[in-house]
Amino acid sequence: MSDIDDTRPAAGGAAPNPTSKMARRRARALALQGVYQWLLSGNTAATVQRHLEAENEHLDKTDRELFVSLLRGAIDSADELRTCFEPLLSRPVVELSPIEHAILLLGTHELRHNIETPYRVVINEAIELAKGYGGTDGHKFVNGVLDKTAARLRPEEVEAARANRS
């Protein structure tokens, strides 16, 4: 059994920390499911959110605040987010798989609005989502697009990280 599926309380009987790394990872995965549903169904963000919350048995172990922020932010500002990454694509947005499209919307939203999360973490989490839910080499595509998007949205942070590697 993985730690994701473990529903036992932590040592000492404490409830799981909803802001832990795994809780944030669950929030991103749940938000991905929601944006994917939205892209395919055209339902409102509120409808998608209600459906996911009703169907998710691990919601208590999910960073709900991050989930809602990512889901609503990616859906509500999808057009604006697309303008950030569309010029960096090797193909038109309409040719993206719905998973790649959803991951790029979520990653771009997080790069723009969750400044407290290092850009490398945002990209790594997006790559993990692409590996888990996307096509064979989708993670490479997501990595390339978000890396270039990060350089545009967070130039100082990206440059400082590159300078530290040299």
Side-chain angles (χ1 to χ4, degrees), residues 61-112:
K61 294 190 287 183
T62 300
D63 183 336
R64 188 174 182 285
E65 184 177 330
L66 179 61
F67 158 64
V68 171
S69 167
L70 291 174
L71 178 69
R72 295 290 182 112
I75 291 173
D76 293 346
S77 56
D79 290 336
E80 177 185 335
L81 297 170
R82 283 186 197 105
T83 64
C84 295
F85 65 76
E86 192 168 19
L88 308 171
L89 298 176
S90 58
R91 58 187 183 258
V93 170
V94 296
E95 292 181 14
L96 294 175
S97 77
I99 289 292
E100 290 171 345
H101 191 174
I103 293 169
L104 291 175
L105 287 170
L106 288 167
T108 303
H109 171 76
E110 198 164 3
L111 285 169
R112 285 193 75 170

Side-chain angles (χ1 to χ4, degrees), residues 115-147:
I115 302 301
E116 70 283 355
T117 305
Y119 85 95
R120 287 182 179 170
V121 171
V122 173
I123 293 172
N124 184 59
E125 291 294 320
I127 290 168
E128 291 303 314
L129 288 171
K131 285 179 179 178
Y133 298 98
T136 304
D137 287 331
H139 67 281
K140 294 176 186 176
F141 175 75
V142 165
N143 182 23
V145 174
L146 287 180
D147 190 53

Side-chain angles (χ1 to χ4, degrees), residues 14-36:
N17 180 355
T19 59
S20 71
K21 180 179 176 182
M22 288 310 300
R24 290 188 304 273
R25 183 160 283 176
R26 278 188 203 92
R28 288 182 180 99
L30 194 58
L32 172 61
Q33 291 174 34
V35 175
Y36 177 84

Side-chain angles (χ1 to χ4, degrees), residues 1 9 23 25 29 42 53 55-56 59 78 91 93 105 145 148 160:
M1 173 175 5
R25 183 160 283 176
E53 289 176 339
E55 297 294 318
N56 191 297
L59 196 59
R91 58 187 183 258
V93 170
L105 287 170
V145 174
K148 292 173 190 166

